[in-house]
Amino acid sequence: MLGELATLNSLSIRFTKFKALLESPTVDLDMLRKLSWNGIPEEIRHLVWKLLMGYLPANSARRDATLARKRSEYEDYVQQTFGKGVETLDQGLYHQIHIDVQRTNPSIPLYQHPRIQQALERVLYCWAIRRPASGYVQGINDLLTPFFQVFLAASVTPNIRDVETMAVDAIPPAVLVEVEADSFWCLGKLLDGIQDNYTAAQPGIQRQITRLQELIHRIDAPLHAHLVAENVQFLQFAFRWMNCLLMREISLRRIIRMWDTYLAEGDLGFSEFHLYVCAAFLVKWSDRLREMEFQEILMFLQSLPTAGWEEKDIELLLAEAFMWQSLFHDSPNHLTQSTTQPPN
Amino acid sequence: MAQGNEDPVYHYLFKVVLVGDASVGKSNLLSRFTRDEFNIDSRSTIGVEFATRSIEVDNKIIKAQIWDTAGQERYRAITSAYYRGAVGALLVYDISNYATFEKVSKWLAELKDHADQNIVVMLVGNKSDLRHLRAVPTEEAMAFGAKHSLSFIETSALDCTNVEKAFQKTLTEIYRIVSSRALETENSAKKVVAGGQAIVVGPTNTDTENKVDKSRCC
């Protein structure tokens, strides 16, 4: 009872702090980042995400105009692209997006509704034709959904859980259009920061995987040695971790909490900090993995037992990642030592 | 190290890859064959996924190590690494989507480029349950298979038709080739290393029979 009260109390103090920050004419983004690191209250998450993504200006007087402009710009894109019917689209690209949207978050009812699926298709298609260097890559559909769900929840119900099962037909068209537009711009900003994850041969991911292996070599040598002895290549499991930012490993609602911290980490949240999260994530299973042989390891890593994870599990993971980052990030020597003896 | 410890013993370990366009049903063919499961709403495969199953041919246990690959073009650079050491491939298209059949030649060329020269390839027309939506005539696919010396089968991972047979046939064919080759050379196993993982494509010595000796792999 007392514990609950204390929790409620601290939540309300946090909420008040956020409120105070957000109500100032120009939001102090550094402070906002600091505060967001430990999680953002649901009621204001949409606003904080948009500010931290740099989609909304810190100056509150300029916000409405910016939003209106961005939303109308997106509406123009949609009109230009889809106005003449889907037959006029690049059929290869459209087909790939279409089949992937159909199988996005299959366990969440919201994403099974044709209205929602069409909205996601429009965002992904409009984005893909504007980024010819990468284009649409499977998995980007996953990355769109945290934005979409947070922004939609903000407009129709303050709760990211309830929105998953809501009556989609009840969403006013004007609301959906805005959610779609905001998601489009925020997805774009996110992907611009990790673009080389998705260009030819996906060099960003290859580099991340190499670094992950070096990190594991440093922070959990026995695990690293075991994986090497069992001929397990990091590419075999970590590719997906990088390509979908762990969205295939951790439930969408937990990912949304994780992104509070990624956004709070600034420009490198989805690349640099994510790397340390992956390291902390792998090390979490170290005891079990070290008991396993090749086949078991791969099967285990393909479907990790994270279904029961709660917010506190995510927060522990983030704290561990932060610790590894503090230890290694500014100490390149920690890593160069391992490169003289390249792991595997 | 002790590959044989928890596994049922096996005489042969064959690496097989599943290739083909996105959404033709590769992952469901794999889950049907290895776990007898079909998932109506499976997500797209990212990178590669892995599963195994053992079958018996001529009283020998054959363990198939099957790698399911992502179908999208952009993943080629990553997934082609998994062709190395593969001795079998199921090249899958969707009988209700002609575009996926048109891409078969491309996939075949890719296999020839990256996999073993003698890889056994089976052309698989999946989703045969979608009769009313058929876009690829059986005869056309059969003719293509004959022309390129591929065996050919139509399957449905959804209703189970021919899934077992497709894998059985492929694995049996690999086994025939490998065992006859072994007779010719009359000597020990030929081994291929695939991405560090030893793939044994020949019988083990009699004294190590029932156990694959990984340390002898090159």
Side-chain angles (χ1 to χ4, degrees), chain A residues 138 198 230 233 248 295, chain B residues 1 44 50 63 74-75 195:
Chain A
Q138 291 188 299
Y198 305 105
E230 286 297 329
Q233 293 169 23
R248 295 296 182 92
Q295 179 181 324
Chain B
M1 200 58 215
S44 59
F50 167 88
K63 179 165 168 176
R74 176 53 40 88
Y75 289 121

Side-chain angles (χ1 to χ4, degrees), chain B residues 40-59:
Chain B
I40 195 93
D41 30 56
S42 53
R43 294 166 135 190
S44 59
T45 304
I46 303 296
V48 293
E49 280 182 33
F50 167 88
T52 69
R53 193 183 136 186
S54 295
I55 63 161
E56 208 180 309
V57 179
D58 284 357
N59 296 321

Side-chain angles (χ1 to χ4, degrees), chain A residues 14-15 18-19 22 32 36 38-53 56 146-147 149-151 153-154 158-161 186 252-261 263 311 314-315:
Chain A
R14 280 178 53 69
F15 191 75
F18 269 106
K19 272 283 190 216
L22 293 171
L32 189 61
S36 300
N38 292 311
I40 304 167
E42 287 207 344
E43 298 86 335
I44 48 169
R45 180 178 270 133
H46 66 108
L47 177 58
V48 178
W49 276 25
K50 284 170 191 166
L51 285 164
L52 293 182
M53 286 302 303
L56 277 185
F147 292 119
Q149 190 157 329
V150 166
F151 299 161
N159 191 308
I160 55 164
R161 183 172 351 112
C186 288
L252 182 49
R253 291 214 301 273
R254 304 294 167 237
I255 286 288
I256 288 173
R257 165 62 192 89
M258 221 155 100
W259 283 22
D260 291 346
T261 303
L263 287 166
E311 200 145 303
I314 294 298
E315 285 172 353

Side-chain angles (χ1 to χ4, degrees), chain A residues 99 103 105-106 134 136-138 198 202 230-231 233 236 239-240 243 248 294-296 298-299 302, chain B residues 1 6 22-23 41-44 46-47 49-50 52 63 65 67 72 74-75 78 82 195-197:
Chain A
I99 57 178
R103 11 179 215 174
N105 295 331
S134 65
Y136 171 75
V137 177
Q138 291 188 299
Y198 305 105
Q202 305 187 262
E230 286 297 329
N231 292 309
Q233 293 169 23
Q236 289 162 341
F239 182 84
R240 196 169 73 180
N243 193 82
R248 295 296 182 92
F294 175 79
Q295 179 181 324
E296 280 179 286
L298 283 188
M299 307 282 272
Q302 273 170 202
Chain B
M1 200 58 215
E6 281 144 25
S23 208
D41 30 56
S42 53
R43 294 166 135 190
S44 59
I46 303 296
E49 280 182 33
F50 167 88
T52 69
K63 179 165 168 176
Q65 202 181 62
W67 292 89
Q72 200 192 5
R74 176 53 40 88
Y75 289 121
I78 304 294
Y82 293 92
Q197 174 69 8

Side-chain angles (χ1 to χ4, degrees), chain B residues 86-125:
Chain B
V87 288
L90 265 59
L91 201 180
V92 189
Y93 67 92
D94 170 358
I95 69 139
S96 71
N97 182 339
Y98 198 81
T100 65
F101 178 69
E102 283 177 319
K103 295 281 275 300
V104 163
S105 327
K106 236 183 182 175
W107 285 107
L108 200 55
E110 177 131 336
L111 280 171
K112 299 280 176 216
D113 278 356
H114 297 281
D116 190 289
Q117 277 299 310
N118 303 312
I119 187 168
V120 173
V121 182
M122 178 175 250
L123 181 63
V124 178

